[in-house]
Coordinates of all heavy atoms in Angstrom, one line a residue:
M12 N -0.5 -48.8 -41.3 CA 0.0 -48.0 -40.3 C 1.0 -48.8 -39.3 O 0.6 -49.9 -38.9 CB -1.0 -47.4 -39.5 CG -0.6 -46.5 -38.4 SD -2.2 -45.7 -37.5 CE -2.0 -46.7 -36.0
S13 N 2.2 -48.3 -39.1 CA 3.1 -49.1 -38.3 C 2.9 -48.7 -36.8 O 2.5 -47.7 -36.4 CB 4.5 -48.9 -38.6 OG 4.9 -47.6 -38.5
M14 N 3.2 -49.7 -35.9 CA 3.1 -49.4 -34.5 C 4.5 -49.3 -34.0 O 5.5 -49.8 -34.4 CB 2.5 -50.6 -33.8 CG 1.0 -50.9 -34.3 SD 0.5 -52.5 -33.5 CE 0.2 -52.0 -31.9
T15 N 4.5 -48.6 -32.8 CA 5.9 -48.4 -32.1 C 6.0 -49.6 -31.4 O 5.1 -50.3 -31.0 CB 5.9 -47.1 -31.3 OG1 4.9 -47.3 -30.2 CG2 5.5 -45.9 -32.1
I16 N 7.3 -49.8 -30.8 CA 7.6 -51.0 -29.9 C 6.7 -50.8 -28.6 O 6.1 -51.8 -28.2 CB 9.0 -50.9 -29.4 CG1 10.0 -51.1 -30.7 CG2 9.3 -51.9 -28.4 CD1 10.0 -52.4 -31.2
D17 N 6.5 -49.6 -28.1 CA 5.7 -49.4 -26.9 C 4.3 -49.8 -27.1 O 3.6 -50.4 -26.2 CB 5.9 -47.9 -26.4 CG 7.1 -47.7 -25.6 OD1 7.9 -48.7 -25.4 OD2 7.6 -46.5 -25.5
E18 N 3.8 -49.5 -28.3 CA 2.4 -49.8 -28.7 C 2.2 -51.4 -28.8 O 1.2 -51.8 -28.4 CB 2.0 -49.1 -29.9 CG 1.7 -47.6 -29.8 CD 1.6 -46.9 -31.1 OE1 2.1 -47.5 -32.1 OE2 0.9 -45.8 -31.1
K19 N 3.2 -52.0 -29.4 CA 3.2 -53.5 -29.6 C 3.2 -54.1 -28.1 O 2.5 -55.0 -27.9 CB 4.4 -53.9 -30.4 CG 4.1 -53.6 -31.9 CD 5.4 -54.1 -32.6 CE 5.1 -53.8 -34.1 NZ 6.4 -54.2 -35.0
L20 N 4.1 -53.7 -27.3 CA 4.3 -54.2 -26.0 C 3.1 -53.9 -25.1 O 2.7 -54.7 -24.2 CB 5.5 -53.7 -25.3 CG 6.9 -54.1 -26.0 CD1 8.1 -53.4 -25.3 CD2 7.1 -55.6 -26.0
G21 N 2.4 -52.8 -25.4 CA 1.3 -52.5 -24.6 C 0.1 -53.5 -24.8 O -0.9 -53.4 -23.9
I22 N 0.0 -54.2 -25.9 CA -1.1 -55.0 -25.9 C -0.8 -56.5 -25.4 O -1.6 -57.3 -25.4 CB -1.6 -55.2 -27.4 CG1 -0.4 -55.7 -28.4 CG2 -2.1 -53.9 -28.0 CD1 -0.9 -55.9 -29.9
D23 N 0.5 -56.6 -25.0 CA 0.8 -58.0 -24.3 C 0.1 -58.0 -23.0 O -0.3 -57.0 -22.5 CB 2.2 -58.1 -24.2 CG 2.9 -58.4 -25.5 OD1 2.4 -58.8 -26.4 OD2 4.2 -57.9 -25.5
K24 N -0.2 -59.2 -22.5 CA -0.8 -59.4 -21.2 C 0.1 -60.1 -20.3 O 0.8 -61.0 -20.7 CB -2.2 -60.1 -21.4 CG -3.1 -60.0 -20.3 CD -4.4 -60.7 -20.8 CE -5.4 -60.6 -19.6 NZ -6.7 -61.3 -19.9
F25 N 0.1 -59.7 -19.0 CA 0.8 -60.4 -18.0 C 0.0 -61.0 -16.9 O -0.8 -60.4 -16.4 CB 1.8 -59.4 -17.3 CG 2.8 -58.8 -18.4 CD1 2.5 -57.6 -19.1 CD2 4.0 -59.4 -18.6 CE1 3.4 -57.1 -20.0 CE2 5.0 -58.9 -19.5 CZ 4.6 -57.7 -20.3
H26 N 0.3 -62.4 -16.8 CA -0.5 -63.1 -15.7 C 0.5 -63.2 -14.5 O 1.3 -64.1 -14.6 CB -0.9 -64.5 -16.3 CG -1.9 -64.3 -17.5 ND1 -3.1 -64.0 -17.4 CD2 -1.5 -64.3 -18.8 CE1 -3.6 -64.1 -18.7 NE2 -2.6 -64.2 -19.5
V27 N 0.4 -62.3 -13.6 CA 1.4 -62.3 -12.5 C 1.0 -63.2 -11.3 O -0.1 -63.1 -10.8 CB 1.5 -60.7 -12.0 CG1 2.5 -60.7 -10.8 CG2 1.8 -59.9 -13.1
D28 N 1.9 -64.0 -11.0 CA 1.8 -65.0 -9.8 C 2.3 -64.2 -8.7 O 3.4 -64.0 -8.4 CB 2.6 -66.2 -10.1 CG 2.3 -67.2 -9.0 OD1 1.8 -66.9 -8.0 OD2 2.7 -68.4 -9.3
E29 N 1.4 -63.7 -7.9 CA 1.7 -62.8 -6.8 C 2.3 -63.6 -5.6 O 3.0 -63.0 -4.8 CB 0.4 -62.0 -6.2 CG -0.3 -61.2 -7.1 CD 0.5 -59.9 -7.4 OE1 1.5 -59.6 -6.8 OE2 0.0 -59.2 -8.4
G30 N 2.1 -65.0 -5.6 CA 2.7 -65.7 -4.6 C 4.0 -66.5 -5.0 O 4.6 -67.2 -4.2
Y31 N 4.7 -66.1 -6.2 CA 5.8 -66.8 -6.5 C 6.7 -65.9 -7.4 O 6.2 -65.6 -8.5 CB 5.5 -68.2 -7.2 CG 6.8 -68.8 -7.8 CD1 7.6 -69.5 -7.0 CD2 7.1 -68.8 -9.1 CE1 8.7 -70.1 -7.4 CE2 8.2 -69.4 -9.7 CZ 9.1 -70.1 -8.9 OH 10.1 -70.7 -9.4
A32 N 7.8 -65.5 -6.9 CA 8.7 -64.7 -7.8 C 9.6 -65.6 -8.6 O 10.4 -66.3 -7.9 CB 9.5 -63.8 -6.8
H33 N 9.4 -65.5 -9.8 CA 10.2 -66.4 -10.7 C 11.7 -65.9 -10.8 O 12.5 -66.7 -11.4 CB 9.5 -66.7 -12.0 CG 9.6 -65.6 -12.9 ND1 8.6 -64.5 -12.8 CD2 10.3 -65.2 -14.0 CE1 8.9 -63.6 -13.8 NE2 9.8 -64.1 -14.6
I34 N 11.9 -64.7 -10.5 CA 13.3 -64.1 -10.5 C 13.5 -63.5 -9.1 O 12.7 -62.8 -8.6 CB 13.4 -63.1 -11.6 CG1 13.2 -63.7 -13.0 CG2 14.8 -62.4 -11.4 CD1 13.3 -62.7 -14.1
E35 N 14.6 -63.8 -8.5 CA 15.1 -63.1 -7.3 C 16.4 -62.5 -7.5 O 17.3 -63.1 -8.1 CB 15.1 -64.2 -6.1 CG 13.7 -64.6 -5.7 CD 13.6 -65.7 -4.7 OE1 14.8 -65.8 -4.1 OE2 12.7 -66.2 -4.4
V36 N 16.5 -61.3 -6.9 CA 17.8 -60.6 -7.1 C 18.6 -60.4 -5.8 O 18.1 -60.4 -4.7 CB 17.5 -59.2 -7.8 CG1 16.9 -59.4 -9.2 CG2 16.7 -58.3 -6.9
N37 N 20.0 -60.1 -6.0 CA 20.8 -59.8 -5.0 C 20.9 -58.2 -4.9 O 21.7 -57.7 -5.8 CB 22.1 -60.5 -5.1 CG 23.3 -60.0 -4.2 OD1 22.8 -59.4 -3.1 ND2 24.4 -60.3 -4.4
K38 N 20.4 -57.6 -3.9 CA 20.3 -56.1 -3.9 C 21.7 -55.6 -3.4 O 21.9 -54.4 -3.5 CB 19.3 -55.6 -3.0 CG 17.9 -56.0 -3.5 CD 16.7 -55.2 -2.9 CE 15.5 -55.5 -3.6 NZ 14.3 -54.7 -3.2
G39 N 22.6 -56.5 -3.0 CA 24.0 -56.1 -2.6 C 25.0 -56.3 -3.7 O 26.2 -56.0 -3.4
A40 N 24.6 -56.5 -4.9 CA 25.4 -56.7 -6.0 C 26.2 -55.4 -6.2 O 25.8 -54.3 -5.8 CB 24.7 -57.2 -7.1
S41 N 27.3 -55.5 -7.0 CA 28.0 -54.2 -7.3 C 27.3 -53.4 -8.2 O 26.4 -53.8 -9.1 CB 29.4 -54.6 -8.0 OG 29.1 -55.0 -9.4
E42 N 27.6 -52.1 -8.1 CA 26.8 -51.1 -8.9 C 27.1 -51.3 -10.5 O 26.0 -51.2 -11.2 CB 27.4 -49.7 -8.5 CG 26.6 -48.5 -9.2 CD 27.1 -47.2 -8.7 OE1 27.1 -46.9 -7.4 OE2 27.5 -46.3 -9.5
S43 N 28.3 -51.7 -10.7 CA 28.4 -51.9 -12.2 C 27.6 -53.1 -12.8 O 27.1 -53.0 -13.9 CB 29.9 -52.1 -12.5 OG 30.4 -53.3 -11.8
D44 N 27.5 -54.1 -11.9 CA 26.6 -55.3 -12.4 C 25.2 -54.9 -12.4 O 24.5 -55.2 -13.5 CB 26.8 -56.4 -11.5 CG 28.2 -57.1 -11.6 OD1 28.8 -57.1 -12.8 OD2 28.7 -57.7 -10.8
I45 N 24.8 -54.2 -11.5 CA 23.4 -53.7 -11.5 C 23.1 -52.8 -12.6 O 22.1 -53.0 -13.3 CB 23.0 -52.9 -10.2 CG1 23.0 -54.0 -9.0 CG2 21.6 -52.3 -10.2 CD1 22.9 -53.4 -7.6
K46 N 24.0 -51.8 -12.9 CA 23.8 -51.0 -14.0 C 23.7 -51.5 -15.4 O 23.0 -51.1 -16.3 CB 24.8 -49.7 -13.9 CG 24.6 -48.7 -12.8 CD 25.4 -47.6 -12.9 CE 25.0 -46.5 -11.9 NZ 25.9 -45.4 -11.9
L47 N 24.5 -52.7 -15.5 CA 24.4 -53.3 -16.8 C 23.0 -53.9 -16.9 O 22.5 -53.8 -18.0 CB 25.4 -54.5 -16.6 CG 25.4 -55.5 -17.9 CD1 25.8 -54.7 -19.1 CD2 26.3 -56.7 -17.6
L48 N 22.3 -54.4 -16.0 CA 20.9 -54.9 -16.2 C 19.9 -53.7 -16.3 O 18.9 -54.0 -17.0 CB 20.6 -55.8 -15.0 CG 21.5 -57.0 -14.7 CD1 20.9 -57.9 -13.7 CD2 21.7 -57.7 -16.1
T49 N 20.2 -52.6 -15.7 CA 19.2 -51.5 -15.9 C 19.3 -51.1 -17.4 O 18.2 -50.6 -18.0 CB 19.6 -50.2 -15.1 OG1 20.9 -49.7 -15.5 CG2 19.7 -50.6 -13.6
R50 N 20.4 -51.3 -18.1 CA 20.4 -51.0 -19.5 C 20.0 -52.2 -20.4 O 19.6 -51.9 -21.6 CB 21.9 -50.6 -19.9 CG 22.4 -49.3 -19.3 CD 23.7 -48.8 -19.8 NE 24.8 -49.8 -19.7 CZ 25.6 -50.0 -18.7 NH1 25.4 -49.2 -17.7 NH2 26.5 -50.9 -18.7
A51 N 20.2 -53.4 -19.9 CA 19.9 -54.5 -20.7 C 18.5 -55.1 -20.7 O 18.1 -55.6 -21.7 CB 21.0 -55.7 -20.4
C52 N 17.9 -55.0 -19.6 CA 16.5 -55.6 -19.5 C 15.5 -54.9 -20.4 O 15.3 -53.6 -20.2 CB 15.9 -55.4 -18.1 SG 14.2 -56.0 -17.9
P53 N 14.9 -55.5 -21.4 CA 14.0 -54.8 -22.3 C 12.8 -54.3 -21.8 O 12.2 -53.4 -22.3 CB 13.9 -55.9 -23.4 CG 14.1 -57.2 -22.7 CD 15.1 -56.9 -21.7
A54 N 12.4 -54.9 -20.5 CA 11.2 -54.3 -19.9 C 11.5 -53.2 -19.0 O 10.5 -52.8 -18.3 CB 10.5 -55.6 -19.2
G55 N 12.8 -53.0 -18.7 CA 13.1 -51.9 -17.8 C 12.7 -52.3 -16.3 O 12.3 -51.3 -15.6
L56 N 12.7 -53.5 -15.9 CA 12.4 -53.9 -14.6 C 13.4 -53.6 -13.5 O 13.1 -53.7 -12.3 CB 12.0 -55.4 -14.6 CG 10.9 -55.7 -15.5 CD1 10.5 -57.2 -15.4 CD2 9.6 -54.9 -15.2
Y57 N 14.8 -53.5 -14.0 CA 15.7 -53.2 -13.0 C 16.0 -51.7 -13.0 O 16.3 -51.0 -13.8 CB 17.1 -53.8 -13.5 CG 17.1 -55.4 -13.4 CD1 16.6 -56.1 -14.4 CD2 17.6 -56.0 -12.2 CE1 16.6 -57.5 -14.3 CE2 17.6 -57.4 -12.2 CZ 17.1 -58.1 -13.2 OH 17.1 -59.5 -13.1
K58 N 15.8 -51.2 -11.7 CA 15.9 -49.8 -11.5 C 16.9 -49.5 -10.4 O 16.9 -50.1 -9.4 CB 14.5 -49.1 -11.1 CG 13.3 -49.5 -12.0 CD 12.7 -48.3 -12.5 CE 11.4 -48.7 -13.3 NZ 11.6 -48.9 -14.7
Y59 N 17.7 -48.5 -10.6 CA 18.8 -48.2 -9.7 C 18.8 -46.7 -9.4 O 19.0 -45.8 -10.4 CB 20.1 -48.6 -10.2 CG 21.3 -48.6 -9.3 CD1 21.2 -49.5 -8.2 CD2 22.3 -47.8 -9.4 CE1 22.4 -49.6 -7.4 CE2 23.5 -47.7 -8.6 CZ 23.4 -48.7 -7.4 OH 24.4 -48.6 -6.6
S60 N 18.6 -46.4 -8.2 CA 18.5 -44.9 -7.8 C 19.1 -44.6 -6.4 O 18.7 -45.5 -5.5 CB 17.0 -44.4 -7.9 OG 17.0 -43.2 -7.6
E61 N 20.0 -43.7 -6.4 CA 20.6 -43.3 -5.1 C 21.3 -44.7 -4.4 O 21.1 -44.9 -3.1 CB 19.6 -42.6 -4.2 CG 19.2 -41.3 -4.9 CD 18.2 -40.6 -3.9 OE1 18.0 -41.0 -2.8 OE2 17.7 -39.5 -4.5
G62 N 21.8 -45.4 -5.2 CA 22.4 -46.7 -4.6 C 21.6 -47.8 -4.3 O 22.0 -48.8 -3.7
V63 N 20.3 -47.7 -4.7 CA 19.4 -48.7 -4.3 C 18.8 -49.4 -5.6 O 18.3 -48.8 -6.5 CB 18.2 -48.2 -3.4 CG1 17.3 -49.2 -3.0 CG2 18.8 -47.7 -2.1
L64 N 18.8 -50.8 -5.5 CA 18.3 -51.6 -6.6 C 16.8 -51.9 -6.3 O 16.6 -52.4 -5.1 CB 19.0 -52.8 -6.9 CG 18.4 -53.9 -7.7 CD1 18.1 -53.4 -9.2 CD2 19.0 -55.2 -7.7
T65 N 15.9 -51.5 -7.2 CA 14.5 -52.1 -7.0 C 14.1 -53.0 -8.2 O 14.7 -52.7 -9.3 CB 13.5 -51.0 -6.9 OG1 13.6 -50.1 -8.0 CG2 13.7 -50.2 -5.6
F66 N 13.5 -54.0 -8.0 CA 13.2 -54.9 -9.1 C 11.8 -55.4 -8.8 O 11.4 -55.8 -7.7 CB 14.3 -56.1 -9.2 CG 13.9 -57.1 -10.2 CD1 14.0 -57.0 -11.5 CD2 13.2 -58.3 -9.7 CE1 13.7 -57.9 -12.4 CE2 12.9 -59.4 -10.6 CZ 13.1 -59.2 -11.9
D67 N 10.9 -55.6 -9.9 CA 9.6 -56.2 -9.8 C 9.5 -57.1 -11.0 O 9.6 -56.8 -12.2 CB 8.6 -55.1 -9.8 CG 7.2 -55.7 -9.6 OD1 7.1 -56.9 -9.5 OD2 6.2 -54.9 -9.6
Y68 N 9.2 -58.4 -10.7 CA 9.2 -59.4 -11.8 C 7.9 -59.4 -12.5 O 7.9 -59.9 -13.7 CB 9.4 -60.9 -11.2 CG 8.3 -61.2 -10.2 CD1 7.1 -61.9 -10.6 CD2 8.4 -60.9 -8.8 CE1 6.1 -62.1 -9.5 CE2 7.4 -61.3 -7.9 CZ 6.2 -61.9 -8.3 OH 5.3 -62.2 -7.4
A69 N 6.9 -58.6 -12.1 CA 5.7 -58.4 -13.0 C 6.2 -57.6 -14.1 O 6.8 -56.6 -14.1 CB 4.8 -57.6 -12.1
G70 N 5.7 -58.0 -15.4 CA 6.1 -57.3 -16.5 C 7.4 -58.0 -17.2 O 7.8 -57.4 -18.3
C71 N 7.9 -59.0 -16.7 CA 8.9 -59.7 -17.3 C 8.6 -60.4 -18.6 O 7.5 -61.1 -18.7 CB 9.4 -60.8 -16.4 SG 10.8 -61.8 -16.9
F72 N 9.5 -60.3 -19.6 CA 9.3 -60.9 -20.9 C 9.8 -62.4 -21.0 O 9.8 -63.0 -22.0 CB 10.0 -60.0 -22.0 CG 9.4 -58.6 -22.1 CD1 10.3 -57.6 -22.5 CD2 8.0 -58.4 -22.0 CE1 9.8 -56.3 -22.7 CE2 7.6 -57.1 -22.2 CZ 8.4 -56.0 -22.4
E73 N 10.5 -62.7 -19.9 CA 11.0 -64.0 -19.8 C 12.2 -64.3 -20.9 O 12.2 -65.5 -21.4 CB 9.8 -65.1 -19.9 CG 8.9 -65.0 -18.9 CD 7.5 -65.8 -19.2 OE1 7.7 -66.9 -19.7 OE2 6.5 -65.3 -18.7
C74 N 12.9 -63.3 -21.2 CA 13.9 -63.4 -22.3 C 15.2 -64.0 -21.8 O 16.0 -64.5 -22.6 CB 14.1 -62.0 -22.9 SG 14.9 -60.8 -21.7
G75 N 15.4 -63.9 -20.4 CA 16.6 -64.6 -20.0 C 17.9 -63.7 -20.1 O 18.9 -64.1 -19.6
T76 N 17.8 -62.5 -20.6 CA 18.9 -61.7 -20.7 C 19.6 -61.4 -19.3 O 20.8 -61.5 -19.2 CB 18.5 -60.2 -21.2 OG1 17.9 -60.5 -22.5 CG2 19.7 -59.3 -21.4
C77 N 18.9 -61.1 -18.4 CA 19.6 -60.7 -17.0 C 20.2 -62.0 -16.5 O 21.2 -61.9 -15.8 CB 18.5 -60.2 -16.1 SG 17.1 -61.4 -15.7
K78 N 19.7 -63.1 -16.7 CA 20.3 -64.4 -16.2 C 21.6 -64.6 -16.9 O 22.6 -64.9 -16.3 CB 19.4 -65.7 -16.5 CG 20.0 -66.8 -16.0 CD 19.0 -68.1 -16.5 CE 19.8 -69.4 -16.1 NZ 19.0 -70.6 -16.6
V79 N 21.7 -64.3 -18.2 CA 22.9 -64.6 -18.9 C 23.9 -63.6 -18.6 O 25.1 -63.9 -18.4 CB 22.6 -64.5 -20.5 CG1 23.8 -64.5 -21.2 CG2 21.7 -65.7 -20.8
L80 N 23.6 -62.2 -18.4 CA 24.5 -61.3 -18.2 C 25.0 -61.2 -16.7 O 26.1 -60.8 -16.4 CB 23.8 -59.9 -18.5 CG 23.7 -59.6 -19.9 CD1 23.0 -58.2 -20.2 CD2 25.0 -59.7 -20.7
S81 N 24.2 -61.6 -15.8 CA 24.5 -61.4 -14.4 C 25.4 -62.5 -13.8 O 26.2 -62.5 -12.9 CB 23.4 -61.1 -13.5 OG 22.9 -62.3 -13.0
A82 N 25.2 -63.7 -14.4 CA 26.1 -64.9 -14.0 C 26.0 -65.0 -12.5 O 27.1 -65.2 -11.8 CB 27.4 -64.8 -14.6
D83 N 25.0 -65.0 -11.9 CA 24.7 -65.2 -10.4 C 25.2 -64.0 -9.6 O 25.2 -64.1 -8.4 CB 25.4 -66.4 -9.9 CG 24.9 -67.7 -10.6 OD1 23.6 -67.7 -10.7 OD2 25.6 -68.7 -10.6
R84 N 25.6 -62.9 -10.2 CA 26.0 -61.7 -9.5 C 24.7 -60.9 -8.9 O 24.7 -60.5 -7.8 CB 27.0 -60.8 -10.2 CG 28.3 -61.6 -10.4 CD 29.4 -60.7 -11.0 NE 28.9 -60.2 -12.3 CZ 29.2 -60.8 -13.5 NH1 29.8 -61.9 -13.5 NH2 28.7 -60.2 -14.7
V85 N 24.0 -60.7 -9.8 CA 22.8 -59.9 -9.4 C 21.5 -60.9 -9.4 O 20.7 -60.8 -8.4 CB 22.3 -58.8 -10.5 CG1 21.2 -58.0 -10.0 CG2 23.6 -57.9 -10.6
V86 N 21.3 -61.7 -10.4 CA 20.2 -62.6 -10.3 C 20.6 -63.9 -9.4 O 21.5 -64.6 -9.7 CB 19.8 -63.0 -11.8 CG1 18.9 -64.1 -11.8 CG2 19.4 -61.9 -12.6
K87 N 19.8 -64.1 -8.3 CA 20.1 -65.1 -7.5 C 19.3 -66.4 -7.9 O 19.8 -67.4 -7.6 CB 19.6 -64.9 -6.0 CG 20.4 -63.8 -5.2 CD 20.1 -63.8 -3.8 CE 18.6 -63.5 -3.6 NZ 18.3 -63.2 -2.1
K88 N 18.2 -66.2 -8.5 CA 17.3 -67.2 -9.0 C 16.5 -66.8 -10.1 O 16.0 -65.6 -10.2 CB 16.3 -67.7 -7.8 CG 15.4 -68.8 -8.3 CD 14.2 -69.0 -7.4 CE 13.0 -68.2 -7.8 NZ 11.8 -68.4 -7.1
W89 N 16.6 -67.6 -11.2 CA 15.9 -67.3 -12.4 C 15.2 -68.6 -12.8 O 15.7 -69.7 -13.0 CB 16.7 -66.9 -13.5 CG 16.0 -66.2 -14.7 CD1 16.0 -64.9 -15.0 CD2 15.4 -66.8 -15.7 NE1 15.2 -64.6 -16.0 CE2 14.8 -65.8 -16.7 CE3 15.0 -68.2 -16.0 CZ2 14.1 -66.1 -17.7 CZ3 14.3 -68.4 -17.2 CH2 13.8 -67.3 -18.1
S90 N 13.8 -68.5 -13.0 CA 13.1 -69.6 -13.6 C 11.9 -69.1 -14.3 O 11.7 -67.9 -14.3 CB 12.5 -70.5 -12.5 OG 11.6 -69.9 -11.7
F91 N 11.3 -69.8 -15.1 CA 10.1 -69.4 -15.8 C 9.0 -69.4 -14.8 O 9.0 -70.2 -13.9 CB 9.7 -70.4 -17.0 CG 10.5 -70.2 -18.3 CD1 11.5 -71.2 -18.5 CD2 10.5 -69.2 -19.0 CE1 12.4 -71.0 -19.6 CE2 11.4 -68.9 -20.1 CZ 12.4 -69.9 -20.4
P92 N 8.0 -68.5 -15.1 CA 6.8 -68.6 -14.3 C 6.0 -69.9 -14.3 O 6.4 -70.6 -15.2 CB 5.9 -67.5 -14.8 CG 6.8 -66.6 -15.6 CD 7.9 -67.5 -16.1
K93 N 5.3 -70.2 -13.2 CA 4.6 -71.6 -13.2 C 3.6 -71.5 -14.3 O 3.2 -70.4 -14.8 CB 3.9 -71.8 -11.8 CG 5.0 -71.9 -10.8 CD 4.4 -72.1 -9.4 CE 5.4 -72.4 -8.3 NZ 4.8 -72.3 -6.9
G94 N 3.1 -72.6 -14.6 CA 2.1 -72.9 -15.8 C 1.0 -71.8 -15.5 O 0.4 -71.6 -14.5
S95 N 0.5 -71.3 -16.8 CA -0.7 -70.3 -16.9 C -0.2 -69.0 -16.4 O -1.1 -68.0 -16.5 CB -1.8 -70.9 -16.2 OG -1.9 -70.6 -14.7
F96 N 1.0 -68.8 -15.7 CA 1.4 -67.3 -15.4 C 2.5 -66.9 -16.4 O 3.0 -67.6 -17.2 CB 2.0 -67.4 -14.0 CG 0.9 -67.7 -12.9 CD1 0.8 -68.8 -12.2 CD2 0.1 -66.6 -12.5 CE1 -0.1 -69.1 -11.3 CE2 -0.9 -66.8 -11.6 CZ -1.0 -68.0 -11.0
G97 N 2.7 -65.6 -16.4 CA 3.8 -65.1 -17.2 C 3.1 -64.2 -18.4 O 2.0 -63.8 -18.4
V98 N 4.1 -63.9 -19.3 CA 3.7 -63.0 -20.3 C 2.9 -63.8 -21.4 O 3.1 -65.0 -21.7 CB 5.0 -62.3 -21.0 CG1 5.8 -63.4 -21.7 CG2 4.6 -61.4 -22.0
E99 N 1.9 -63.2 -21.9 CA 1.1 -63.6 -23.1 C 1.3 -62.6 -24.3 O 0.7 -61.5 -24.1 CB -0.3 -63.8 -22.6 CG -1.3 -64.3 -23.7 CD -2.7 -64.2 -23.3 OE1 -3.1 -64.3 -22.1 OE2 -3.5 -64.1 -24.2
Y100 N 2.1 -63.0 -25.2 CA 2.3 -62.2 -26.2 C 1.1 -62.2 -27.2 O 0.6 -63.2 -27.5 CB 3.5 -62.7 -27.1 CG 4.8 -62.4 -26.3 CD1 5.5 -63.5 -25.7 CD2 5.4 -61.2 -26.2 CE1 6.7 -63.3 -25.1 CE2 6.5 -60.9 -25.5 CZ 7.3 -62.0 -25.0 OH 8.3 -61.8 -24.3
R101 N 0.7 -61.0 -27.6 CA -0.6 -60.9 -28.3 C -0.5 -60.2 -29.6 O -1.4 -59.7 -30.2 CB -1.7 -60.3 -27.5 CG -1.7 -61.0 -26.2 CD -3.0 -60.8 -25.4 NE -3.5 -59.5 -25.2 CZ -4.6 -59.2 -24.5 NH1 -5.4 -60.2 -24.1 NH2 -4.9 -58.0 -24.2
H102 N 0.7 -60.1 -30.2 CA 1.0 -59.5 -31.4 C 2.2 -60.1 -32.2 O 3.3 -60.1 -31.6 CB 1.2 -57.9 -31.3 CG 1.3 -57.2 -32.6 ND1 0.1 -56.8 -33.3 CD2 2.3 -56.7 -33.4 CE1 0.5 -56.2 -34.4 NE2 1.9 -56.2 -34.5
G103 N 2.0 -60.6 -33.3 CA 3.1 -61.0 -34.1 C 3.5 -62.5 -33.7 O 3.0 -63.1 -32.9
Ligands
SF4_208 S1 14.2 -62.1 -18.1 FE1 14.3 -60.4 -19.5 S2 12.4 -59.1 -19.2 FE2 12.7 -60.5 -17.5 S3 13.8 -59.4 -15.9 FE3 15.2 -60.6 -17.1 S4 16.0 -59.2 -18.7 FE4 14.1 -58.3 -17.9

């Protein structure tokens, strides 16, 4: 039996460091730059509604896509989570 992407992702575990945001964003970035990340982030962490960007680093896959695409326009800071925090892939 095959699993859907959502089912596979649902078994991953996230160890969230509540005291350290490993990604920080510029909420004043241009709409086009923000919308690019709403489409590109595989975890769907960039949300844009009524002209407002919301972002939560919890649930990040640490793929680096937003860092590469935004080139300092939206992403102000990008680093991996500190040791023992972050995503724990549990399938494949
Ligand atoms: S590193 Fe990947 S999963 Fe994490 S916020 Fe950026 S695009 Fe989304």
Side-chain angles (χ1 to χ4, degrees):
M12 184 178 100
S13 64
M14 297 175 71
T15 66
I16 296 287
D17 285 341
E18 287 170 336
K19 289 179 180 177
L20 295 176
I22 60 175
D23 292 332
K24 195 169 177 185
F25 295 91
H26 307 275
V27 180
D28 186 347
E29 301 289 349
Y31 174 74
H33 70 283
I34 298 173
E35 293 178 5
V36 299
N37 172 17
K38 294 192 175 188
S41 77
E42 183 173 309
S43 61
D44 286 333
I45 292 171
K46 284 187 171 177
L47 176 63
L48 297 189
T49 65
R50 295 191 302 273
C52 174
L56 300 180
Y57 290 85
K58 309 238 186 268
Y59 191 67
S60 176
E61 298 181 6
V63 177
L64 166 65
T65 55
F66 173 79
D67 185 354
Y68 60 90
C71 175
F72 297 144
E73 303 166 32
C74 65
T76 301
C77 58
K78 178 184 179 187
V79 171
L80 289 179
S81 86
D83 295 331
R84 294 187 298 273
V85 180
V86 176
K87 289 193 302 187
K88 182 192 90 175
W89 195 102
S90 61
F91 286 106
K93 293 179 181 172
S95 80
F96 290 104
V98 64
E99 178 185 335
Y100 290 105
R101 308 206 299 184
H102 186 80

